[in-house]
Amino acid sequence: MTADTIQPPSPGQFLSDAQAMVLALSHARLAIGVSDPNPRVGCVLLDAAGRFIAIGHTQAAGQAHAEIMAIRQAQALGVSLRGATALVTLEPCSHHGRTPPCCDALIEAGVARVVAAVKDPNPLVAGQGLARLQAAGIQTESGLMANEAQELNIGFFSRMQRQRPFVRMKIAATLDGRTALPEGQSQWITGPDARRDGHLWRKRAGAVLTGIGTVRDDNPRLDVRLVETERQPLRVVVDSRLEISAQARILAPPGEVLVAHALGTEAAAAWAASARQADTPGPDLVSLPDHKNKVDLPALLLHLGQRGINEVHVEAGAKLNASLLQAGCVDELLLYMAPKLLGDGRALADLGALPSLDMALEFQWHEVHSIGGDLRLRLRPAYNHAHANITRT
């Protein structure tokens, strides 16, 4: 992941559709850490001859969308949009949410053509934005750089289509798959560049998830500190028996905290009362027990989807990592691999022994990138999630 963006060209510079969409996608990345739960969208406006006019990206929820920002920039420059082309990384919205429909603003501005990289998966839009533009006599196209646009908003697509966030599991490990020495010392497996890069992925997420074991052993904050951000992701702790200390650093500001547990209302109320007595900012508590009286992880993801979380960034220990993997909850591994060998140490996931090789959890390479002296590996499941919850001995 990179925070780099392409600088907009000078007004009047000719751009092809492809060049303009690359620019729009680059500008859309400026909405990372800003627009959630709304998607990250960029918009570029070209005049009838294909010359650059203006650019915009989605602002914070409840504020202007990318199309509106670009239109405002054009208006500030005194440039008419009659006959212009708008290139947007996501289909313009057609419904009244916190803001009016963007397709109406484009119609009113007088654009003649709209090119959307990909259609909006939101059932409230889902092609209706382009249909409304067409009904107004505006030429529409879609599909230009669709894969890139969907990748940028992979969590939004997940929440709209599966009702749950996209889950990315971050692990820092050695060449022999160790995340710490046997007693737990792990600072630092990877170098400073990899650690900063990890904070960029935290910034991208709507929630950072960990388990009570990590909270108890490491007492982490799990906020975004090494890069600038306009908002802090929700921090989520999986703690079946509500063992978290009211003084745990993860409960302290900045940002909100959710603790998922498997206890009844009386036990949760007693813990909340003790936290208030300790003058601790009270986290939200949610009870999601499964049949083993542990936190139901798939149910937790659905709960986070209902809260508007698009992407979940997991930084947990071997036990929770294994539980998430075996439940089919992980959509991507974000593995930082250091060129070191530790020998005995803690594993990246406590999966136990397999009855046969064909039961292995398989992944496909998505990206391999060097970060300082380490490697960043991104992998996505190759196995069928229906084969999760496998039996290990």
Side-chain angles (χ1 to χ4, degrees):
M1 185 180 180
T2 176
D4 296 338
T5 54
I6 300 171
Q7 291 299 316
S10 302
Q13 182 175 332
F14 287 96
L15 296 177
S16 67
D17 282 358
Q19 289 172 324
M21 189 62 78
V22 168
L23 180 60
L25 285 164
S26 171
H27 212 61
R29 295 189 187 99
L30 295 175
I32 292 174
V34 175
S35 64
D36 281 35
N38 292 334
R40 304 135 183 169
V41 182
C43 175
V44 169
L45 297 174
L46 306 179
D47 68 14
R51 292 172 296 202
F52 174 76
I53 299 174
I55 191 169
H57 68 80
T58 312
Q59 303 299 298
Q63 298 181 25
H65 290 188
E67 298 92 329
I68 306 304
M69 294 298 293
I71 290 171
R72 288 177 182 173
Q73 188 179 100
Q75 292 171 338
L77 294 171
V79 179
S80 171
L81 294 179
R82 295 292 167 186
T85 292
L87 295 103
V88 291
T89 59
L90 188 70
E91 175 186 6
C93 63
S94 59
H95 67 292
H96 281 270
R98 298 183 186 181
T99 58
C102 290
C103 59
D104 289 354
L106 291 168
I107 293 169
E108 184 178 348
V111 303
R113 179 169 169 259
V114 173
V115 179
V118 66
K119 292 183 179 180
D120 194 330
N122 187 340
L124 297 174
V125 184
Q128 297 178 51
L130 293 177
R132 187 179 296 188
L133 293 168
Q134 292 165 3
I138 296 174
Q139 179 186 346
T140 67
E141 301 172 28
S142 63
L144 179 62
M145 299 183 185
N147 289 338
E148 294 88 340
Q150 186 165 342
E151 276 291 321
L152 181 60
N153 285 300
I154 195 166
F156 181 74
F157 274 78
S158 176
R159 182 164 66 87
M160 291 297 110
Q161 296 172 344
R162 302 188 296 171
Q163 291 74 56
R164 75 162 183 85
F166 183 89
V167 178
R168 183 177 290 111
M169 178 178 286
K170 180 255 184 181
I171 302 171
T174 59
L175 294 174
D176 47 355
R178 302 304 182 188
T179 62
L181 294 174
E183 68 275 11
Q185 182 183 348
S186 61
Q187 295 183 344
W188 297 101
I189 293 290
T190 54
D193 291 338
R195 295 197 294 275
R196 183 182 180 278
D197 191 72
H199 277 244
L200 283 170
W201 289 98
R202 281 188 192 176
K203 173 181 176 177
R204 174 173 172 138
V208 176
L209 184 146
T210 193
I212 183 59
T214 298
V215 171
R216 193 164 44 221
D217 294 346
D218 300 339
N219 197 22
R221 289 166 57 181
L222 290 183
D223 56 353
V224 179
R225 301 184 305 281
L226 301 184
V227 296
E228 292 185 3
T229 186
E230 293 188 20
R231 63 156 181 86
Q232 288 291 340
L234 174 72
R235 287 166 292 171
V236 181
V237 181
V238 176
D239 181 9
S240 296
R241 294 185 291 277
L242 273 179
E243 297 172 325
I244 188 169
S245 166
Q247 283 75 39
R249 295 205 305 163
I250 200 169
L251 300 182
E256 299 179 353
V257 183
L258 172 70
V259 178
H261 62 92
L263 302 181
T265 54
E266 290 186 8
W271 187 94
S274 66
R276 287 193 297 270
Q277 291 176 355
D279 197 26
T280 298
D284 289 344
L285 302 177
V286 59
S287 179
L288 297 168
D290 64 10
H291 65 284
K292 295 181 179 179
N293 287 323
K294 294 184 177 296
V295 172
D296 187 323
L297 297 174
L300 174 57
L301 295 184
L302 291 174
H303 177 82
L304 292 175
Q306 292 167 0
R307 293 179 67 119
I309 301 299
N310 293 327
E311 295 183 26
V312 171
H313 178 88
V314 176
E315 292 196 30
K319 290 181 66 176
L320 182 55
N321 283 352
S323 295
L324 287 163
L325 287 164
Q326 290 170 334
C329 292
V330 179
D331 299 303
E332 181 173 286
L333 289 180
L334 176 64
L335 177 60
Y336 294 91
M337 183 161 286
K340 302 174 182 177
L341 296 171
L342 283 190
D344 287 344
R346 297 191 177 181
L348 54 86
D350 188 10
L351 293 169
L354 280 172
S356 62
L357 278 175
D358 60 3
M359 297 294 286
L361 301 181
E362 296 183 17
F363 293 83
Q364 294 177 335
W365 300 108
H366 182 68
E367 178 197 60
V368 179
H369 190 76
S370 65
I371 303 287
D374 304 306
L375 278 184
R376 183 185 70 198
L377 312 175
R378 291 171 61 202
L379 307 97
R380 294 184 179 171
Y383 62 87
N384 187 334
H385 279 211
H387 294 156
N389 296 309
I390 58 179
T391 301
R392 293 172 182 261
T393 58

